[in-house]
Amino acid sequence: MNKRAQIIVITSGKGGVGKTTSSAAISIGLASRGYKTVVIDFDVGLRNLDLLMGCERRVVYDLINVIHNEAKLSQALIKDKRVENLSILAASQTRDKNALSLTGVESILDELRSKFDYIICDSPAGIEHGALMAMYFADQAIITTNPEISSVRDSDRILGILASKTHRAKQELEPIKEHLLVTRYNPLRVQKGEMLSVHDVHDILAIPLLGVIPESQAVLKASNSGIPVILDEPSDASQAYKDTISRFLGETLPHRFITTPKRKLWSRLFSTNIQEITAG
Amino acid sequence: MSFIKNYFKQKKPSANIAKERLEIIVSHQRKKRKNTSNNYTQQLERKLVAVIKDHLNIEEGINIHVVEKPHYSSVKLTVELPLN
Ligand SMILES: Nc1ncnc2c1ncn2[C@@H]1O[C@H](COP(=O)(O)OP(=O)(O)O)[C@@H](O)[C@H]1O
Ligand SMILES: [Mg+2]
């Protein structure tokens, strides 16, 4: 049997928007659904996927070691202890992004492609070498965007690069499939007019909306403990990530956590009054 | 009268301002991309061929090969010079 994994890059341009948080959640989500999944940290020099996954003490070899033939891929892959089917490939902490070469990345991805269903690439911030290496061979891209002006602008720039500088673009293959993931969403601030709404962001970027992850206290708790937030079952962020996975796998689900959770008594009274008035 | 009007007329929410600014920024970015990436190499190709034809007064034997790499693109050009 010959597998051919889909390569998915989690990218954004801007830093700190939730790429690594999302990479951890999405890879665990796909593995939990039974897909053989590997998640690769491309943030060479600033690795932190291993911290979010809680496996920092098990990192012996990393991506660069494999590229430089200092270790075999099988030695560098870390099997997740909580979820079957999931492996992690850490980034190097000591070298810099330029240690990544296109041919090196290609040969690793080729080897992984025959063993996995999904390869998740956690991109570093920026639009330069490291980010380009993470997205170059992608089949699909999850554009992680905060409802904030600079993040949306950077996401649009990333869309431009995906469409012109990647393998699929250069070879004139079918374009990379784009997905919009809006993260750190605060419905209350949207309601107050202080934050761009998901509809605004979706309108401007005009790519299919995969999910909306609310700003959630569970995320910091998760990174503190090294247990990705998607495993914090009852939390809003976990549910939102699970919905995102379902949509990614083709299910149609309404977006949750995009309106304010509970309205105050007075506003409920007020709106029922209005309904009564307009009804009567 | 104007006092009542002002009371009801609220300041424009900052999210709306952000959206308006983004619409302009993104449409500019996309227009620029269309103009540069799409035709850049084709334009270069066309202009090179025209110049060579004009200077050497030939119609055939001009080969242009564009190689696109992630960080740069290169143009290889060979011209068969007529024997005369
Ligand atoms: N949905 C969320 N709610 C609250 N905080 C979040 C959320 N997503 C990410 N964060 C926080 O934002 C910061 C950056 O997240 P990270 O995933 O490292 O982003 P990136 O990889 O894009 O730089 C971290 O401190 C993280 O805990
Ligand atoms: Mg990151």
Side-chain angles (χ1 to χ4, degrees):
Chain A
M1 201 192 66
N2 242 340
K3 274 193 203 262
R4 185 151 173 88
Q6 282 279 305
I7 301 177
I8 298 154
V9 61
I10 315 292
T11 182
S12 70
K14 193 170 158 61
V17 296
K19 289 181 293 296
T20 304
T21 304
S22 299
S23 298
I26 289 168
S27 55
I28 289 194
L30 287 170
S32 315
R33 294 287 205 99
Y35 296 99
K36 288 204 77 181
T37 305
V38 55
V39 57
I40 307 176
D41 190 347
F42 273 84
D43 206 343
V44 177
L46 281 173
R47 78 174 192 217
N48 51 32
L49 180 69
D50 54 327
L51 286 175
L52 291 200
M53 299 293 288
C55 67
E56 70 276 8
R57 288 173 35 191
R58 295 168 62 207
V59 178
V60 182
Y61 295 111
D62 58 55
L63 180 62
I64 303 293
N65 292 137
V66 183
I67 287 185
H68 291 181
N69 289 320
E70 293 154 0
K72 279 193 229 142
L73 193 54
S74 56
Q75 293 175 297
L77 288 177
I78 302 166
K79 272 200 154 52
D80 192 89
K81 285 191 168 154
R82 298 155 298 215
V83 191
E84 240 184 294
N85 299 322
L86 179 61
S87 297
I88 300 134
L89 184 51
S92 168
Q93 219 166 7
T94 50
R95 310 207 211 180
D96 68 294
K97 287 183 179 39
N98 296 322
L100 287 172
S101 67
L102 207 58
T103 46
V105 171
E106 184 173 27
S107 73
I108 288 190
L109 291 177
D110 275 345
E111 199 175 336
L112 291 171
R113 261 199 150 139
S114 59
K115 298 189 179 78
F116 289 90
D117 298 308
Y118 288 108
I119 301 172
I120 310 296
C121 304
D122 179 20
S123 173
I127 52 172
E128 275 134 43
H129 188 77
L132 191 59
M133 290 299 111
M135 72 169 78
Y136 194 81
F137 295 101
D139 302 304
Q140 305 193 41
I142 296 178
I143 323 291
T144 312
T145 308
N146 291 167
E148 187 258 323
I149 194 160
S150 59
S151 175
V152 177
R153 178 174 69 180
D154 288 357
S155 290
D156 180 64
R157 293 191 66 188
I158 285 289
L159 288 174
I161 296 170
L162 286 168
S164 64
K165 298 255 163 81
T166 53
H167 179 71
R168 278 179 175 270
K170 301 215 170 227
Q171 299 299 315
E172 296 185 355
L173 302 170
E174 195 183 313
I176 293 174
K177 189 169 176 193
E178 300 153 340
H179 308 271
L180 174 61
L181 182 65
V182 176
T183 53
R184 309 201 67 165
Y185 196 66
N186 187 332
L188 190 63
R189 300 198 73 182
V190 173
Q191 195 188 27
K192 289 184 187 162
E194 297 170 355
M195 182 181 264
L196 288 162
S197 74
V198 60
H199 308 287
D200 294 341
V201 178
H202 188 202
D203 264 6
I204 290 162
L205 292 176
I207 58 172
L209 179 63
L210 183 65
V212 183
I213 312 300
E215 173 79 18
S216 167
Q217 305 200 334
V219 173
L220 181 57
K221 217 175 79 193
S223 80
N224 284 340
S225 48
I227 303 170
V229 73
I230 193 170
L231 294 173
D232 182 3
E233 298 265 327
S235 73
D236 49 357
S238 168
Q239 293 176 51
Y241 274 120
K242 284 187 174 168
D243 285 3
T244 301
I245 297 296
S246 299
R247 281 189 214 99
F248 183 82
L249 295 171
E251 292 165 43
T252 313
L253 291 176
H255 293 279
R256 296 193 279 163
F257 314 109
I258 59 174
T259 50
T260 43
K262 245 190 227 140
R263 281 184 295 165
K264 296 215 176 73
L265 184 63
W266 63 265
S267 77
R268 241 183 307 173
L269 285 175
F270 184 69
S271 73
T272 42
N273 278 343
I274 290 205
Q275 274 163 13
E276 278 161 17
I277 291 163
T278 48
Chain B
M1 242 346 237
S2 77
F3 141 77
I4 294 173
K5 231 186 191 163
N6 281 339
Y7 181 80
F8 284 106
K9 203 175 103 193
Q10 294 201 326
K11 238 177 46 192
K12 189 186 234 172
S14 65
N16 292 12
I17 303 171
K19 186 178 188 195
E20 286 166 15
R21 290 172 67 203
L22 271 169
E23 277 168 343
I24 296 166
I25 295 165
V26 167
S27 85
H28 275 203
Q29 281 185 356
R30 293 192 173 184
K31 231 179 266 164
K32 219 161 101 192
R33 290 209 290 264
K34 236 179 163 174
N35 294 342
T36 49
S37 66
N38 257 1
N39 315 323
Y40 165 66
T41 44
Q42 288 165 12
Q43 261 177 31
L44 181 64
E45 227 176 292
R46 241 179 287 131
K47 282 187 182 164
L48 279 173
V49 172
V51 168
I52 294 162
K53 278 184 178 173
D54 190 40
H55 274 255
L56 296 175
N57 202 11
I58 51 172
E59 280 302 320
E60 286 169 349
I62 304 167
N63 290 307
I64 291 198
H65 188 54
V66 181
V67 184
E68 305 232 336
K69 292 272 172 62
H71 296 296
Y72 64 92
S73 301
S74 70
V75 180
K76 269 188 206 148
L77 172 68
T78 55
V79 183
E80 288 167 32
L81 295 174
L83 287 167
N84 58 7

